[in-house]
Amino acid sequence: MELPVLNASQDSAPQGGCASHSCGSTDDQMDHLPESIRQKIYNHPCYSEQAHHYFARMHVAVAPACNIQCNYCNRKYDCANESRPGVVSEVMSPEQAVKKVMAVAATIPQMTVLGIAGPGDPLANPERTFQTFRELSEKAPDIKLCVSTNGLTLPDCVDELAKHNIDHVTITINCVDPDVGAKIYPWIFWKNQRLRGREAAEILIAQQQKGLEMLTARGILVKVNSVMIPGVNDEHLAEVSRVVKAKGAFLHNVMPLIAEAEHGTYYGVMGQRGPTHEELQKLQDACAGDMNMMRHCRQCRADAVGLLGEDRGQEFTMDKIEAMEIDYEAAMVKRAEVHAQIERELAIKEQAKTAKAELIAIQGLKSDKSATRPVLMAVATKGGGVINEHFGHASEFLIYEASPEGVRFIGHRKTTPYCEGGDTCGDGESALDQTLRILKGCEVVLCSKVGYEPWQPLEAAGIAPNGEHAMEPIEEAVAAVYEEMRSAGKLVEATETAQKAA
Amino acid sequence: MAFEIIESCVNCYACEPLCPNQAIYAASPHFMIAEEKCTECIGDHIDAQCVSICPIEGAILDEMGVALNAPGSLTGIPPELLAKIDQQGTAAVL
Ligand code: SF4
Ligand code: SF4
Ligand code: SF4
């Protein structure tokens, strides 16, 4: 995202500025949001593209029950709405969860957000969820709280949520049409009965929409998640986007269906496919015209701890936590210092970026607009907004699009790190093959280092490996490579993939 | 007159707060129904509450040992396919 220069105040989001256009870089998803909302999501690792390189979130698994069934979920595992399917979290009691959160917050001051996302539906477990929130608001008031839900009981929970000073709620809304819903939800539990089919979908949809309206009326931020299911709701999601935007949702995040037979879900065993990266991006682009899209959601594990994308869960097993002595008063002081330091850094980066963007606007990229085609580039990073991950160690790549308009963030693609993959990962596809597949459509991969072995296959796949920009800020490096490609005359012809990506 | 929870229960807690007789309790390795307390919800609800929310087919049995949520009844996966997956693993559907 593109934040204008930060003024004197350290702990608030930058005000106004650059409002008329997105200066230089076009990846800002918050430009169009009202100031009050920008303030709220300024340093939220899940929503602010800039902050998610610096701040961290965690989830605690205190809510095992669910009150509906989704066709992409196997209830032996975690809620597929917020986490990856096929993962089981160990369910914690609210007391354990509070202990864990405080231990993590004291050890990792960057941890600013605590979410409850499962393993079932948090609001189908109101007592466990709210006990956790209640104790945390009291004992650790500097942690933001968030919750995600399928929405079925949301209207009944709004008062309670408002009480606990919840900063935002995520609702998974896959449809606004009950006929579509009947193909996604086989049943719901409603007023002491199991209801099925269209009738069930109708109630679920009505509850979701009512909950959304009630929350926004109270000024509570609402993000909407949708799972893109080709042939079921893919065409319908643009409509969903319009509706939820009209009702005040601040972000719409379209996630790809992940359906594998071994997950044992209905879609998995029935052979329902997920969308390709191209289909997903096309839909995200189509919806983006309507509202702010979130492209950097990594579908993290519900119990992941640490900076986004980096899992430090092993440091905080229950027995290790029991052994820790936490002085949260002291920790809060340290946390405040660290947060202020990060915000100063963010401000400096923004200043540099704005200056740079102006420079580019004057002499470079902007001058011969539309003369060159857009290019997708993959970036390997451990965080911090710089290129600092070895190609072979990357378990995910950030995808950026460079065009005459500037550099914008497109999304994440996950893979098995090439160096850990061994020869094959089960189904005969090697880790490198998998990486090549997920990088389809990219023409460059930027990383701190690329080994000799993958070099050749990468080039053969039309992806130029590039280790020359190690430790450089991502967007600057992407812009620089784009400029190199332009001056080498590689960008004149508009290819079909590039047009699709545009 | 009582229902029974068996080992396929995934300990999701969904049924426990719904029981009008507090017959259901968390236990290891899985939730249990106290036989003497369970009334099959008769007199309280039209449908047995635990059976109506349980997401796992076959996890709750009636007095005769018959699954109250039959294979395929909750997920919509055809029972023949489920049987095949049970025998041959998910390779059966690939
Ligand atoms: S709401 Fe979550 S836990 Fe419940 S069925 Fe859907 S994906 Fe599974
Ligand atoms: S059938 Fe009714 S009374 Fe018996 S355990 Fe289930 S919920 Fe309780
Ligand atoms: S609802 Fe079913 S799976 Fe969940 S605890 Fe009760 S019996 Fe077990």
Side-chain angles (χ1 to χ4, degrees):
Chain A
M1 58 175 237
E2 175 83 6
L3 289 173
V5 182
L6 192 68
N7 310 326
S9 104
Q10 297 288 350
D11 50 5
S12 62
Q15 314 277 327
C18 287
S20 52
H21 63 107
S22 49
C23 27
S25 163
T26 54
D27 59 346
D28 187 357
Q29 299 157 4
M30 304 210 299
D31 261 359
H32 319 285
L33 294 172
E35 194 55 44
S36 60
I37 292 183
R38 291 175 49 139
Q39 289 286 347
K40 283 190 183 171
I41 58 183
Y42 177 50
N43 67 349
H44 191 298
C46 303
Y47 300 151
S48 148
E49 213 170 300
Q50 186 74 300
H52 89 276
H53 292 301
Y54 297 89
F55 292 104
R57 59 83 190 86
M58 68 180 285
H59 287 108
V60 284
V62 295
C66 189
N67 45 18
I68 70 171
Q69 179 68 52
C70 304
N71 277 335
Y72 45 75
C73 178
N74 179 346
R75 293 298 313 288
K76 290 171 187 144
Y77 303 125
D78 284 5
C79 175
N81 285 329
E82 278 287 315
S83 55
R84 279 181 280 161
V87 175
V88 201
S89 299
E90 199 187 328
V91 174
M92 280 184 276
S93 69
E95 294 80 13
Q96 288 175 315
V98 168
K99 247 191 189 150
K100 176 166 179 178
V101 172
M102 294 181 59
V104 173
T107 319
I108 306 176
Q110 292 90 333
M111 201 283 274
T112 50
V113 182
L114 179 269
I116 297 182
D121 184 76
L123 301 185
N125 301 258
E127 277 161 34
R128 299 170 68 91
T129 296
F130 290 128
Q131 188 189 332
T132 309
F133 282 158
R134 200 160 39 236
E135 282 188 34
L136 280 176
S137 332
E138 213 173 275
K139 295 180 182 161
D142 63 341
I143 297 175
K144 296 181 184 185
L145 305 174
C146 65
V147 64
S148 53
T149 177
N150 61 39
L152 183 62
T153 60
L154 179 55
D156 303 333
C157 296
V158 170
D159 281 346
E160 186 81 36
L161 283 167
K163 235 186 267 168
H164 298 310
N165 198 16
I166 304 297
D167 126 314
H168 63 278
V169 175
T170 304
I171 316 174
T172 299
I173 299 181
N174 295 318
C175 54
V176 288
D177 174 350
D179 289 319
V180 175
K183 295 182 199 148
I184 302 173
Y185 307 105
W187 59 263
I188 68 171
F189 180 80
W190 180 249
K191 295 203 194 304
N192 302 100
Q193 274 182 302
R194 195 182 322 253
L195 302 181
R196 298 168 192 266
R198 196 178 189 282
E199 181 193 14
E202 211 164 348
I203 293 169
L204 177 61
I205 291 167
Q207 289 291 99
Q208 291 172 333
Q209 296 297 322
K210 186 172 163 198
L212 167 59
E213 286 164 24
M214 289 171 74
L215 287 170
T216 53
R218 298 259 189 135
I220 298 174
L221 287 182
V222 183
K223 178 187 100 185
V224 170
N225 270 355
S226 299
V227 180
M228 177 182 182
I229 312 158
V232 176
N233 72 348
D234 46 348
E235 303 199 331
H236 179 58
L237 284 180
E239 165 77 4
V240 171
S241 210
R242 260 190 303 281
V243 171
V244 301
K245 180 194 183 185
K247 294 193 175 163
F250 83 98
L251 263 181
H252 184 205
N253 170 34
V254 177
M255 313 188 294
L257 170 71
I258 302 173
E260 305 289 347
E262 60 266 33
H263 297 149
T265 62
Y266 174 82
Y267 284 149
V269 305
M270 299 305 278
Q272 165 70 49
R273 71 171 181 93
T276 62
H277 290 307
E278 288 83 7
E279 286 170 330
L280 179 66
Q281 194 183 322
K282 207 172 138 209
L283 178 65
Q284 288 178 331
D285 285 344
C287 295
D290 275 66
M291 78 176 304
N292 301 287
M293 294 292 299
M294 189 171 82
R295 295 172 191 267
H296 48 89
C297 172
R298 285 165 155 86
Q299 299 187 347
C300 351
R301 260 175 62 182
D303 60 351
V305 173
L307 285 171
L308 285 173
E310 176 192 336
D311 195 333
R312 294 179 61 178
Q314 285 314 307
E315 285 173 47
F316 300 99
T317 55
M318 230 35 243
D319 40 324
K320 286 185 190 156
I321 290 164
E322 296 293 353
M324 289 183 199
E325 282 284 343
I326 304 294
D327 176 356
Y328 204 78
E329 291 295 316
M332 267 213 288
V333 176
K334 176 151 166 262
R335 286 168 54 78
E337 280 168 20
V338 173
H339 296 172
Q341 178 55 36
I342 294 174
E343 272 158 28
R344 274 193 293 275
E345 253 178 63
L346 281 174
I348 292 166
K349 290 215 172 194
E350 274 317 315
Q351 232 161 351
K353 199 170 147 190
T354 313
K356 177 107 185 175
E358 276 165 16
L359 200 68
I360 292 172
I362 296 164
Q363 23 151 285
L365 295 174
K366 293 242 154 179
S367 54
D368 49 354
K369 250 192 182 185
S370 79
T372 55
R373 63 184 173 82
V375 170
L376 288 185
M377 301 190 201
V379 173
T381 175
K382 286 195 255 232
V386 295
I387 299 167
N388 56 0
E389 180 70 299
H390 192 299
F391 176 79
H393 298 161
S395 55
E396 67 171 359
F397 290 89
L398 274 56
I399 309 298
Y400 285 80
E401 184 196 71
S403 74
E405 307 291 325
V407 175
R408 72 175 175 137
F409 181 77
I410 298 284
H412 296 270
R413 298 185 188 170
K414 282 189 182 290
T415 186
T416 308
Y418 168 62
C419 288
E420 289 168 23
D423 286 338
T424 57
C425 38
D427 49 5
E429 187 186 40
S430 76
L432 182 58
D433 285 345
Q434 191 192 350
T435 303
L436 290 175
R437 178 166 53 80
I438 66 135
L439 294 184
K440 196 166 155 253
C442 299
E443 296 179 48
V444 179
V445 59
L446 290 156
C447 40
S448 62
K449 223 175 154 191
V450 200
Y452 173 73
E453 244 181 89
W455 195 279
Q456 234 273 308
L458 275 168
E459 285 197 323
I463 306 164
N466 187 325
E468 287 158 31
H469 296 272
M471 297 317 291
E472 285 178 25
I474 294 170
E475 294 184 3
E476 282 174 33
V478 170
V481 172
Y482 189 71
E483 181 55 26
E484 279 165 33
M485 291 174 80
R486 193 185 66 83
S487 37
K490 289 184 187 160
L491 304 178
V492 240
E493 217 172 296
T495 67
E496 214 197 288
T497 18
Q499 272 174 342
K500 249 190 257 159
Chain B
M1 218 175 59
F3 293 159
E4 186 195 354
I5 295 175
I6 63 167
E7 69 282 353
S8 51
C9 161
V10 295
N11 297 311
C12 79
Y13 283 80
C15 55
E16 189 249 16
L18 296 177
C19 177
N21 302 310
Q22 284 82 47
I24 305 172
Y25 58 96
S28 184
H30 58 79
F31 276 66
M32 302 280 279
I33 293 174
E35 210 187 321
E36 68 288 359
K37 289 192 186 166
C38 171
T39 57
E40 299 183 3
C41 285
I42 290 165
D44 288 297
H45 298 283
I46 298 169
D47 299 324
Q49 293 302 285
C50 53
V51 177
S52 300
I53 199 164
C54 180
I56 305 296
E57 293 160 356
I60 307 179
L61 307 181
D62 71 9
E63 260 190 330
M64 313 297 290
V66 176
L68 288 153
N69 290 306
S73 64
L74 302 182
T75 55
I77 300 172
E80 318 81 69
L81 196 57
L82 279 175
K84 217 165 136 196
I85 292 171
D86 266 353
Q87 284 165 12
Q88 307 169 23
T90 46
V93 295
L94 290 177

